[in-house]
């Protein structure tokens, strides 16, 4: 029995409450109880903790950490005792970390980290453990369980089946989450270490997902529905994404009607920005950047074999808020009444060239009312559909009532 | 100065000509040279940009060295005076091409002038102007009516409307009447 660990644990608990216990005193009391009076270690720890708490006039020591808590109710800053199953182990990112992964109980799941200095026994995947006196803090916006030198870990003889509770995508929070979702987009990977990335959706919304390259990790099939248990929910720039490396995913029967969490905005198009109209794009696969007039791509330099595209960068203003909107080719063609082929033809024969297309498109849309819906990304509305607002006599009648109702 | 990421473009307020004509109070938000200048509209909101749609009835080229264009845009309640000078070359050329009468949509900045004989004039410095159709004009009247009523409903509860009360002694029922009259001129 190593008493210094127990001593450390007790003093940390008291220090957390603002007391300054004498470690030697703790150790000698423990020693006395265990060695001389044959009290078992757990009981000795409890007794000494309670005694010292009284002496230092602090309350709530011991109770807070020995009382069993459901994982979903734990908030950062608490000392806790939990019982849970190791549902994922991830490779430690630093030598000072012995183990990282996810521990779950029936209420929820949480990431954990075991410090190398804690000298804690390694936990095994799929087993249940009781973890006493661990600390929960916040890491990257998500609660994170820290196993330190004062934490007691004991393996439990238990293998209760654990059914994770599914969270709707719209309600996911940073941390750990399980979803039932459909793969609606499969994007090109942007990194060597990335196995797959794309968009998952359920009835409530959509979320980006990533699977990093790792042994035994499979790709998801496009348009298939999966139950994804214990994925890591990360937050970056205010947007959430799911990392599936900690997760277990199994295909599910059935289909999901994916809810598009689209933003709709109605207003007048008060500004058409430079860079609208006919543009040239870099032909290098996966690049697609806009070229300058001299066909220069910021990454791939001069690209004479560019391809043409149409777009509108504009401001849609409802009188209260001005929003940046970006419209793609098909929408521009409809709104401006000009096809890409016609635009190219005009640009190549007209002395004003591409400017002519800019003016034509600007004159067609500037100052007119539209309803745009799409996804908001980086302070800009990526428009999926855009329709001109039409005059509704009912609206006029309602406004007349509103203006006249109280005037008399 | 706000950081670049927090930059938000000023919305273009909807205002009828007869309300803009009454505007007298102008202030600068901040001490900086580049701080935006606002007017307080009598219905109780600050504005440094407006959006108007009406009929361009007249335009004139003026000045010898510094050419600028002036125009009159008419809505159901009155007339807006617009101008575009060589500091807004795009807007000036847009305006130069338009032959009145025509329905136009104008985005611009309201500014106050005092004439030599002491009268105060409000004119709109054009940022952009384009030809639109009658339906857009009608939509604008509805839009402006709605926004004006929204401001009147909130009158007395916001800082800007308290300032308007102080400066103009605004009587909300008068503006409701203006809104009603404007709407009455829209043909079903």
């Amino acid at each position: 029995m190593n008493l210094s660990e127990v001593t450390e644990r007790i003093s940390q608990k008291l220090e957390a409450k603002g007391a300054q216990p004498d470690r030697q005193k703790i150790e000698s009391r423990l020693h006395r109880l265990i060695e001389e009076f044959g009290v078992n270690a757990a009981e000795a720890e409890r007794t000494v903790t309670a005694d010292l708490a009284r002496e230092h006039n602090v309350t709530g020591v011991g109770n807070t950490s020995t009382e069993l808590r459901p994982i979903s109710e734990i908030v950062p800053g608490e000392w806790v005792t939990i019982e849970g199953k190791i549902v994922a182990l991830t490779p430690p990112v630093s030598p000072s970390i012995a183990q990282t992964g996810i521990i779950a109980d029936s209420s929820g799941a949480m990431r954990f980290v075991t410090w190398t200095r804690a000298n804690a026994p390694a936990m095994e995947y799929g087993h249940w453990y009781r973890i006493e006196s661990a600390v929960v803090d916040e890491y990257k916006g998500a609660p994170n369980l820290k196993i330190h030198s004062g934490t007691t870990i004991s393996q439990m003889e238990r293998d209760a089946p654990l059914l994770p509770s599914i969270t709707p995508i719209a309600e996911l929070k940073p941390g750990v989450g399980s979803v039932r979702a459909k793969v609606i987009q499969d994007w090109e990977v942007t990194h060597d270490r990335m196995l797959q990335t794309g968009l998952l959706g359920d009835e409530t919304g959509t979320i980006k997902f990533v699977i990093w390259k790792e042994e035994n990790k499979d790709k998801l099939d496009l348009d298939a529905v999966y139950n994804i248990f214990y994925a890591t929910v990360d937050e970056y720039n205010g947007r959430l994404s799911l990392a599936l490396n900690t997760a277990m995913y199994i295909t599910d029967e059935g289909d999901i009607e994916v809810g598009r969490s689209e933003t709709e905005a109605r207003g007048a198009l008060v500004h058409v920005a430079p860079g609208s109209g006919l543009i040239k794009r870099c032909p290098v696969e996966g690049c697609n950047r806009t070229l300058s007039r001299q066909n220069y791509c910021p990454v791939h330099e001069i690209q004479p074999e560019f391809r043409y595209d149409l777009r509108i960068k504009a401001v849609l203003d409802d009188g209260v808020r001005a929003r940046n909107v970006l419209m793609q080719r098909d929408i521009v063609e409809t709104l401006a009444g000009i096809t890409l082929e016609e635009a190219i033809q005009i640009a190549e024969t007209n002395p004003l060239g591409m400017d002519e297309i800019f003016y034509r498109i600007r004159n067609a849309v500037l100052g007119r009312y539209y309803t745009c819906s799409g996804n908001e990304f980086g302070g800009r509305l990526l428009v999926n559909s855009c329709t001109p607002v039409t005059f509704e006599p009912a609206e006029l009648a309602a406004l007349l009532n509103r203006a006249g109702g109280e005037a008399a | 100065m706000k950081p670049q990421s927090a930059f938000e473009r000023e919305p273009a307020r909807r205002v009828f000509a007869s309300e803009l004509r009454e505007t007298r109070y102008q202030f600068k938000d901040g001490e900086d040279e580049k701080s935006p200048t606002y007017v307080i509209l009598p219905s109780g909101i600050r504005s440094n940009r407006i959006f108007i749609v009406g009929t361009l009835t007249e335009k004139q080229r003026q000045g010898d060295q510094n050419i600028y264009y002036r125009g009159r845009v008419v809505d159901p309640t009155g007339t807006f005076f617009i101008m575009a000078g060589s500091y807004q070359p795009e807007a000036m050329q847009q305006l130069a091409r338009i032959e009145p009468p025509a329905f136009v949509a104008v985005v611009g900045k309201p500014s106050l002038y005092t004439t030599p004989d002491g009268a105060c004039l409000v004119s709109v410095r054009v940022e952009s102007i384009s030809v639109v159709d009658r339906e857009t004009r009608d939509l604008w009247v509805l839009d402006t009516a709605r926004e004006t009523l929204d401001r009147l409903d909130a009158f007395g509860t916001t800082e800007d409307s308290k300032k308007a009360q102080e400066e103009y002694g605004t009587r909300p029922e008068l503006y409701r009447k203006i809104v009603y009259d404007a709407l009455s001129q829209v043909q079903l």
Side-chain angles (χ1 to χ4, degrees), chain A residues 183-232:
Chain A
V183 184
I184 52 174
Q185 282 175 24
D186 192 353
W187 298 336
E188 216 163 296
V189 297
T190 52
H191 198 283
D192 292 344
R193 287 182 48 231
M194 212 180 257
L195 178 69
Q196 191 184 21
T197 180
L199 203 64
L200 288 168
D202 70 4
E203 292 82 352
T204 65
T206 57
I207 189 168
K208 174 187 160 181
F209 76 91
V210 181
I211 307 173
W212 298 98
K213 277 184 188 162
E214 203 182 304
E215 262 178 70
N216 304 325
K217 279 289 164 198
D218 296 323
K219 285 192 181 184
L220 303 180
D221 293 328
L222 190 61
D223 291 328
V225 174
Y226 290 87
N227 280 306
I228 299 169
F229 298 143
Y230 307 122
T232 311

Short mmCIF file of all heavy atoms in Angstrom, two decimals, chain A residues 183-232:
data_model
loop_
_atom_site.label_atom_id
_atom_site.label_comp_id
_atom_site.label_asym_id
_atom_site.label_seq_id
_atom_site.Cartn_x
_atom_site.Cartn_y
_atom_site.Cartn_z
N VAL A 183 -25.30 10.00 -44.81
CA VAL A 183 -24.17 10.66 -45.48
C VAL A 183 -24.73 11.36 -46.70
O VAL A 183 -25.16 10.71 -47.65
CB VAL A 183 -23.11 9.63 -45.90
CG1 VAL A 183 -21.90 10.35 -46.49
CG2 VAL A 183 -22.70 8.77 -44.71
N ILE A 184 -24.74 12.69 -46.69
CA ILE A 184 -25.37 13.37 -47.82
C ILE A 184 -24.36 13.98 -48.78
O ILE A 184 -24.68 14.29 -49.90
CB ILE A 184 -26.39 14.44 -47.36
CG1 ILE A 184 -25.76 15.38 -46.35
CG2 ILE A 184 -27.62 13.79 -46.78
CD1 ILE A 184 -26.69 16.51 -45.98
N GLN A 185 -23.13 14.16 -48.31
CA GLN A 185 -22.10 14.65 -49.24
C GLN A 185 -20.79 13.99 -48.91
O GLN A 185 -20.46 13.77 -47.74
CB GLN A 185 -21.95 16.18 -49.13
CG GLN A 185 -23.04 16.94 -49.85
CD GLN A 185 -22.93 18.43 -49.63
OE1 GLN A 185 -21.87 18.97 -49.34
NE2 GLN A 185 -24.06 19.13 -49.76
N ASP A 186 -20.03 13.64 -49.95
CA ASP A 186 -18.71 13.04 -49.78
C ASP A 186 -17.75 14.00 -50.45
O ASP A 186 -17.76 14.17 -51.66
CB ASP A 186 -18.71 11.67 -50.49
CG ASP A 186 -17.48 10.86 -50.12
OD1 ASP A 186 -16.60 11.42 -49.44
OD2 ASP A 186 -17.41 9.69 -50.51
N TRP A 187 -16.93 14.70 -49.63
CA TRP A 187 -16.07 15.74 -50.19
C TRP A 187 -14.69 15.18 -50.49
O TRP A 187 -14.27 14.16 -49.96
CB TRP A 187 -15.93 16.91 -49.21
CG TRP A 187 -17.21 17.59 -48.90
CD1 TRP A 187 -18.33 17.62 -49.66
CD2 TRP A 187 -17.51 18.34 -47.71
NE1 TRP A 187 -19.30 18.36 -49.03
CE2 TRP A 187 -18.83 18.80 -47.85
CE3 TRP A 187 -16.78 18.68 -46.57
CZ2 TRP A 187 -19.45 19.57 -46.87
CZ3 TRP A 187 -17.39 19.44 -45.60
CH2 TRP A 187 -18.70 19.89 -45.75
N GLU A 188 -13.99 15.93 -51.31
CA GLU A 188 -12.60 15.59 -51.58
C GLU A 188 -11.80 15.83 -50.31
O GLU A 188 -11.97 16.84 -49.64
CB GLU A 188 -12.11 16.54 -52.67
CG GLU A 188 -11.17 15.90 -53.64
CD GLU A 188 -11.09 16.76 -54.89
OE1 GLU A 188 -12.11 16.90 -55.59
OE2 GLU A 188 -10.02 17.30 -55.11
N VAL A 189 -10.89 14.90 -49.98
CA VAL A 189 -10.12 15.10 -48.75
C VAL A 189 -9.09 16.20 -48.99
O VAL A 189 -8.58 16.37 -50.09
CB VAL A 189 -9.41 13.80 -48.27
CG1 VAL A 189 -10.44 12.77 -47.92
CG2 VAL A 189 -8.44 13.29 -49.32
N THR A 190 -8.85 16.97 -47.92
CA THR A 190 -7.99 18.13 -48.07
C THR A 190 -6.63 17.89 -47.41
O THR A 190 -5.83 18.80 -47.29
CB THR A 190 -8.63 19.35 -47.41
OG1 THR A 190 -8.98 18.97 -46.06
CG2 THR A 190 -9.86 19.78 -48.15
N HIS A 191 -6.39 16.68 -46.93
CA HIS A 191 -5.19 16.43 -46.16
C HIS A 191 -4.76 14.97 -46.35
O HIS A 191 -5.61 14.09 -46.46
CB HIS A 191 -5.48 16.70 -44.68
CG HIS A 191 -4.25 16.89 -43.86
ND1 HIS A 191 -3.48 15.83 -43.46
CD2 HIS A 191 -3.64 18.00 -43.38
CE1 HIS A 191 -2.45 16.28 -42.76
NE2 HIS A 191 -2.52 17.60 -42.70
N ASP A 192 -3.44 14.74 -46.37
CA ASP A 192 -2.92 13.38 -46.55
C ASP A 192 -3.41 12.42 -45.48
O ASP A 192 -3.61 11.24 -45.75
CB ASP A 192 -1.38 13.40 -46.46
CG ASP A 192 -0.77 14.12 -47.63
OD1 ASP A 192 -1.51 14.31 -48.62
OD2 ASP A 192 0.42 14.50 -47.55
N ARG A 193 -3.57 12.94 -44.27
CA ARG A 193 -3.93 12.04 -43.17
C ARG A 193 -5.43 11.77 -43.11
O ARG A 193 -5.90 11.01 -42.28
CB ARG A 193 -3.46 12.64 -41.84
CG ARG A 193 -1.95 12.56 -41.65
CD ARG A 193 -1.54 13.13 -40.31
NE ARG A 193 -2.39 12.60 -39.25
CZ ARG A 193 -3.02 13.37 -38.35
NH1 ARG A 193 -2.89 14.67 -38.38
NH2 ARG A 193 -3.76 12.82 -37.41
N MET A 194 -6.17 12.42 -44.00
CA MET A 194 -7.62 12.31 -43.92
C MET A 194 -8.11 11.14 -44.77
O MET A 194 -7.69 10.99 -45.92
CB MET A 194 -8.21 13.61 -44.44
CG MET A 194 -9.51 14.01 -43.80
SD MET A 194 -10.06 15.57 -44.53
CE MET A 194 -9.63 16.72 -43.24
N LEU A 195 -8.94 10.31 -44.19
CA LEU A 195 -9.48 9.19 -44.96
C LEU A 195 -10.73 9.63 -45.72
O LEU A 195 -10.91 9.32 -46.89
CB LEU A 195 -9.83 8.03 -44.00
CG LEU A 195 -10.45 6.81 -44.64
CD1 LEU A 195 -9.44 6.08 -45.50
CD2 LEU A 195 -10.99 5.86 -43.56
N GLN A 196 -11.60 10.36 -45.02
CA GLN A 196 -12.84 10.79 -45.64
C GLN A 196 -13.39 12.01 -44.93
O GLN A 196 -13.22 12.17 -43.71
CB GLN A 196 -13.87 9.66 -45.55
CG GLN A 196 -15.11 9.91 -46.40
CD GLN A 196 -16.16 8.82 -46.23
OE1 GLN A 196 -16.17 8.10 -45.24
NE2 GLN A 196 -17.05 8.71 -47.19
N THR A 197 -14.03 12.87 -45.68
CA THR A 197 -14.75 13.99 -45.06
C THR A 197 -15.99 14.28 -45.89
O THR A 197 -16.05 13.94 -47.07
CB THR A 197 -13.86 15.24 -44.92
OG1 THR A 197 -14.61 16.29 -44.32
CG2 THR A 197 -13.35 15.73 -46.27
N GLY A 198 -16.97 14.88 -45.26
CA GLY A 198 -18.22 15.14 -45.97
C GLY A 198 -19.26 15.70 -45.02
O GLY A 198 -18.92 16.31 -44.00
N LEU A 199 -20.51 15.50 -45.39
CA LEU A 199 -21.59 16.09 -44.62
C LEU A 199 -22.58 15.01 -44.21
O LEU A 199 -22.99 14.18 -45.02
CB LEU A 199 -22.29 17.14 -45.48
CG LEU A 199 -23.05 18.23 -44.75
CD1 LEU A 199 -22.10 19.08 -43.92
CD2 LEU A 199 -23.79 19.11 -45.74
N LEU A 200 -22.92 15.02 -42.92
CA LEU A 200 -23.93 14.12 -42.40
C LEU A 200 -25.19 14.92 -42.11
O LEU A 200 -25.10 16.08 -41.72
CB LEU A 200 -23.46 13.49 -41.08
CG LEU A 200 -22.36 12.44 -41.14
CD1 LEU A 200 -21.84 12.17 -39.74
CD2 LEU A 200 -22.88 11.15 -41.76
N GLY A 201 -26.33 14.29 -42.27
CA GLY A 201 -27.55 15.02 -41.97
C GLY A 201 -28.58 14.14 -41.29
O GLY A 201 -28.63 12.93 -41.53
N ASP A 202 -29.38 14.74 -40.42
CA ASP A 202 -30.58 14.05 -39.93
C ASP A 202 -31.76 15.01 -40.08
O ASP A 202 -31.63 16.03 -40.76
CB ASP A 202 -30.39 13.52 -38.49
CG ASP A 202 -30.33 14.63 -37.46
OD1 ASP A 202 -30.50 15.81 -37.82
OD2 ASP A 202 -30.11 14.31 -36.28
N GLU A 203 -32.87 14.71 -39.43
CA GLU A 203 -34.07 15.52 -39.61
C GLU A 203 -33.86 16.95 -39.15
O GLU A 203 -34.53 17.87 -39.59
CB GLU A 203 -35.26 14.92 -38.84
CG GLU A 203 -35.76 13.60 -39.38
CD GLU A 203 -34.95 12.40 -38.92
OE1 GLU A 203 -33.88 12.60 -38.28
OE2 GLU A 203 -35.36 11.26 -39.20
N THR A 204 -32.91 17.16 -38.22
CA THR A 204 -32.79 18.47 -37.60
C THR A 204 -31.73 19.35 -38.23
O THR A 204 -31.68 20.55 -37.97
CB THR A 204 -32.45 18.35 -36.11
OG1 THR A 204 -31.15 17.76 -35.99
CG2 THR A 204 -33.46 17.49 -35.38
N GLY A 205 -30.81 18.76 -39.01
CA GLY A 205 -29.76 19.61 -39.56
C GLY A 205 -28.62 18.80 -40.13
O GLY A 205 -28.72 17.59 -40.30
N THR A 206 -27.55 19.50 -40.43
CA THR A 206 -26.39 18.84 -41.03
C THR A 206 -25.13 19.19 -40.26
O THR A 206 -25.07 20.20 -39.55
CB THR A 206 -26.19 19.29 -42.49
OG1 THR A 206 -26.05 20.70 -42.51
CG2 THR A 206 -27.37 18.89 -43.35
N ILE A 207 -24.11 18.34 -40.39
CA ILE A 207 -22.83 18.59 -39.72
C ILE A 207 -21.71 17.97 -40.55
O ILE A 207 -21.89 16.93 -41.18
CB ILE A 207 -22.85 18.03 -38.27
CG1 ILE A 207 -21.62 18.48 -37.50
CG2 ILE A 207 -22.95 16.50 -38.28
CD1 ILE A 207 -21.72 18.22 -36.00
N LYS A 208 -20.59 18.63 -40.56
CA LYS A 208 -19.42 18.12 -41.27
C LYS A 208 -18.82 16.96 -40.48
O LYS A 208 -18.84 16.97 -39.25
CB LYS A 208 -18.40 19.26 -41.40
CG LYS A 208 -17.08 18.84 -42.00
CD LYS A 208 -16.09 19.99 -41.91
CE LYS A 208 -14.68 19.44 -42.03
NZ LYS A 208 -13.66 20.48 -41.93
N PHE A 209 -18.32 15.95 -41.16
CA PHE A 209 -17.62 14.87 -40.45
C PHE A 209 -16.25 14.63 -41.05
O PHE A 209 -16.00 14.95 -42.20
CB PHE A 209 -18.44 13.58 -40.45
CG PHE A 209 -18.41 12.83 -41.76
CD1 PHE A 209 -17.45 11.85 -42.00
CD2 PHE A 209 -19.33 13.11 -42.75
CE1 PHE A 209 -17.41 11.18 -43.22
CE2 PHE A 209 -19.29 12.44 -43.96
CZ PHE A 209 -18.34 11.48 -44.21
N VAL A 210 -15.37 14.06 -40.23
CA VAL A 210 -14.02 13.72 -40.67
C VAL A 210 -13.67 12.35 -40.13
O VAL A 210 -13.98 12.02 -38.98
CB VAL A 210 -12.98 14.73 -40.12
CG1 VAL A 210 -11.59 14.38 -40.62
CG2 VAL A 210 -13.31 16.14 -40.52
N ILE A 211 -13.04 11.51 -40.95
CA ILE A 211 -12.41 10.29 -40.45
C ILE A 211 -10.92 10.40 -40.80
O ILE A 211 -10.57 10.60 -41.96
CB ILE A 211 -12.99 9.01 -41.11
CG1 ILE A 211 -14.52 8.99 -40.96
CG2 ILE A 211 -12.37 7.76 -40.49
CD1 ILE A 211 -15.17 7.85 -41.72
N TRP A 212 -10.08 10.33 -39.78
CA TRP A 212 -8.63 10.39 -40.03
C TRP A 212 -8.14 8.99 -40.33
O TRP A 212 -8.69 8.01 -39.85
CB TRP A 212 -7.91 10.97 -38.81
CG TRP A 212 -8.36 12.37 -38.52
CD1 TRP A 212 -9.29 12.74 -37.60
CD2 TRP A 212 -7.93 13.55 -39.17
NE1 TRP A 212 -9.47 14.09 -37.65
CE2 TRP A 212 -8.64 14.62 -38.61
CE3 TRP A 212 -7.02 13.83 -40.19
CZ2 TRP A 212 -8.48 15.94 -39.02
CZ3 TRP A 212 -6.84 15.14 -40.59
CH2 TRP A 212 -7.56 16.19 -40.02
N LYS A 213 -7.07 8.92 -41.12
CA LYS A 213 -6.52 7.61 -41.50
C LYS A 213 -6.02 6.88 -40.27
O LYS A 213 -5.29 7.44 -39.46
CB LYS A 213 -5.37 7.79 -42.50
CG LYS A 213 -5.88 7.93 -43.92
CD LYS A 213 -4.75 8.00 -44.91
CE LYS A 213 -5.31 8.36 -46.27
NZ LYS A 213 -4.27 8.86 -47.18
N GLU A 214 -6.41 5.64 -40.15
CA GLU A 214 -6.06 4.84 -38.99
C GLU A 214 -6.38 3.41 -39.39
O GLU A 214 -7.22 3.18 -40.25
CB GLU A 214 -6.95 5.26 -37.81
CG GLU A 214 -6.41 4.96 -36.46
CD GLU A 214 -7.39 5.38 -35.37
OE1 GLU A 214 -7.76 6.57 -35.36
OE2 GLU A 214 -7.81 4.52 -34.61
N GLU A 215 -5.71 2.46 -38.75
CA GLU A 215 -5.99 1.07 -39.09
C GLU A 215 -7.44 0.72 -38.75
O GLU A 215 -8.00 1.22 -37.78
CB GLU A 215 -5.06 0.15 -38.28
CG GLU A 215 -3.85 -0.29 -39.09
CD GLU A 215 -2.94 -1.14 -38.24
OE1 GLU A 215 -3.33 -2.27 -37.93
OE2 GLU A 215 -1.85 -0.64 -37.88
N ASN A 216 -8.00 -0.14 -39.54
CA ASN A 216 -9.35 -0.66 -39.31
C ASN A 216 -10.45 0.39 -39.37
O ASN A 216 -11.52 0.19 -38.80
CB ASN A 216 -9.46 -1.38 -37.95
CG ASN A 216 -8.45 -2.48 -37.85
OD1 ASN A 216 -8.15 -3.14 -38.85
ND2 ASN A 216 -7.92 -2.68 -36.66
N LYS A 217 -10.15 1.53 -40.00
CA LYS A 217 -11.23 2.51 -40.14
C LYS A 217 -11.78 2.42 -41.56
O LYS A 217 -11.02 2.43 -42.53
CB LYS A 217 -10.70 3.94 -39.89
CG LYS A 217 -10.60 4.27 -38.41
CD LYS A 217 -11.95 4.43 -37.77
CE LYS A 217 -11.83 4.36 -36.23
NZ LYS A 217 -13.11 4.10 -35.59
N ASP A 218 -13.08 2.31 -41.66
CA ASP A 218 -13.70 2.20 -42.97
C ASP A 218 -14.36 3.51 -43.35
O ASP A 218 -14.76 4.28 -42.50
CB ASP A 218 -14.78 1.10 -42.96
CG ASP A 218 -14.15 -0.25 -42.69
OD1 ASP A 218 -13.04 -0.48 -43.20
OD2 ASP A 218 -14.77 -1.05 -41.95
N LYS A 219 -14.49 3.71 -44.66
CA LYS A 219 -15.22 4.88 -45.14
C LYS A 219 -16.72 4.66 -45.01
O LYS A 219 -17.19 3.52 -44.98
CB LYS A 219 -14.89 5.11 -46.62
CG LYS A 219 -13.54 5.70 -46.87
CD LYS A 219 -13.48 6.13 -48.33
CE LYS A 219 -12.12 6.70 -48.66
NZ LYS A 219 -12.09 7.21 -50.04
N LEU A 220 -17.44 5.76 -44.96
CA LEU A 220 -18.90 5.68 -44.99
C LEU A 220 -19.35 5.70 -46.45
O LEU A 220 -18.69 6.27 -47.30
CB LEU A 220 -19.50 6.89 -44.27
CG LEU A 220 -19.09 7.13 -42.82
CD1 LEU A 220 -19.80 8.36 -42.27
CD2 LEU A 220 -19.42 5.92 -41.95
N ASP A 221 -20.48 5.05 -46.71
CA ASP A 221 -21.02 5.07 -48.07
C ASP A 221 -21.96 6.26 -48.23
O ASP A 221 -22.78 6.54 -47.35
CB ASP A 221 -21.80 3.78 -48.37
CG ASP A 221 -20.85 2.59 -48.39
OD1 ASP A 221 -19.69 2.79 -48.79
OD2 ASP A 221 -21.28 1.49 -47.99
N LEU A 222 -21.85 6.91 -49.37
CA LEU A 222 -22.72 8.04 -49.67
C LEU A 222 -24.17 7.57 -49.69
O LEU A 222 -24.48 6.48 -50.19
CB LEU A 222 -22.32 8.64 -51.02
CG LEU A 222 -22.98 9.97 -51.39
CD1 LEU A 222 -22.63 11.05 -50.39
CD2 LEU A 222 -22.55 10.39 -52.79
N ASP A 223 -25.05 8.39 -49.14
CA ASP A 223 -26.50 8.13 -49.11
C ASP A 223 -26.93 7.00 -48.18
O ASP A 223 -28.10 6.65 -48.14
CB ASP A 223 -27.05 7.85 -50.52
CG ASP A 223 -27.02 9.10 -51.38
OD1 ASP A 223 -27.19 10.19 -50.81
OD2 ASP A 223 -26.82 8.97 -52.60
N ALA A 224 -25.99 6.43 -47.43
CA ALA A 224 -26.37 5.39 -46.48
C ALA A 224 -26.63 6.01 -45.12
O ALA A 224 -26.13 7.09 -44.81
CB ALA A 224 -25.26 4.35 -46.37
N VAL A 225 -27.48 5.32 -44.33
CA VAL A 225 -27.79 5.80 -42.99
C VAL A 225 -26.97 5.01 -41.97
O VAL A 225 -26.85 3.79 -42.09
CB VAL A 225 -29.30 5.66 -42.70
CG1 VAL A 225 -29.61 6.03 -41.26
CG2 VAL A 225 -30.10 6.53 -43.66
N TYR A 226 -26.40 5.69 -41.00
CA TYR A 226 -25.56 5.04 -40.00
C TYR A 226 -26.00 5.41 -38.59
O TYR A 226 -26.47 6.51 -38.35
CB TYR A 226 -24.10 5.47 -40.15
CG TYR A 226 -23.42 4.93 -41.38
CD1 TYR A 226 -23.49 5.62 -42.58
CD2 TYR A 226 -22.69 3.74 -41.33
CE1 TYR A 226 -22.87 5.13 -43.72
CE2 TYR A 226 -22.07 3.25 -42.46
CZ TYR A 226 -22.16 3.95 -43.65
OH TYR A 226 -21.55 3.46 -44.77
N ASN A 227 -25.80 4.46 -37.69
CA ASN A 227 -25.82 4.78 -36.27
C ASN A 227 -24.37 5.01 -35.88
O ASN A 227 -23.54 4.12 -36.04
CB ASN A 227 -26.40 3.63 -35.45
CG ASN A 227 -27.90 3.62 -35.50
OD1 ASN A 227 -28.55 4.62 -35.20
ND2 ASN A 227 -28.45 2.49 -35.91
N ILE A 228 -24.07 6.20 -35.42
CA ILE A 228 -22.69 6.54 -35.08
C ILE A 228 -22.62 6.77 -33.58
O ILE A 228 -23.23 7.71 -33.07
CB ILE A 228 -22.25 7.79 -35.87
CG1 ILE A 228 -22.33 7.48 -37.36
CG2 ILE A 228 -20.85 8.21 -35.46
CD1 ILE A 228 -22.17 8.69 -38.26
N PHE A 229 -21.92 5.85 -32.88
CA PHE A 229 -21.87 5.95 -31.43
C PHE A 229 -20.55 6.55 -30.98
O PHE A 229 -19.49 6.12 -31.40
CB PHE A 229 -22.04 4.57 -30.80
CG PHE A 229 -23.37 3.93 -31.12
CD1 PHE A 229 -23.47 2.56 -31.34
CD2 PHE A 229 -24.52 4.70 -31.20
CE1 PHE A 229 -24.70 1.98 -31.63
CE2 PHE A 229 -25.74 4.13 -31.49
CZ PHE A 229 -25.83 2.76 -31.71
N TYR A 230 -20.62 7.53 -30.11
CA TYR A 230 -19.45 8.13 -29.47
C TYR A 230 -18.47 8.76 -30.45
O TYR A 230 -17.29 8.43 -30.47
CB TYR A 230 -18.74 7.11 -28.58
CG TYR A 230 -19.68 6.45 -27.60
CD1 TYR A 230 -19.85 5.07 -27.58
CD2 TYR A 230 -20.41 7.23 -26.71
CE1 TYR A 230 -20.71 4.47 -26.70
CE2 TYR A 230 -21.28 6.64 -25.82
CZ TYR A 230 -21.44 5.25 -25.82
OH TYR A 230 -22.29 4.66 -24.95
N ALA A 231 -18.97 9.63 -31.26
CA ALA A 231 -18.08 10.44 -32.09
C ALA A 231 -17.64 11.65 -31.27
O ALA A 231 -18.31 12.03 -30.31
CB ALA A 231 -18.79 10.91 -33.35
N THR A 232 -16.53 12.21 -31.63
CA THR A 232 -16.05 13.39 -30.93
C THR A 232 -16.60 14.63 -31.64
O THR A 232 -16.46 14.76 -32.85
CB THR A 232 -14.52 13.43 -30.94
OG1 THR A 232 -14.05 12.14 -30.54
CG2 THR A 232 -14.00 14.47 -30.00
#
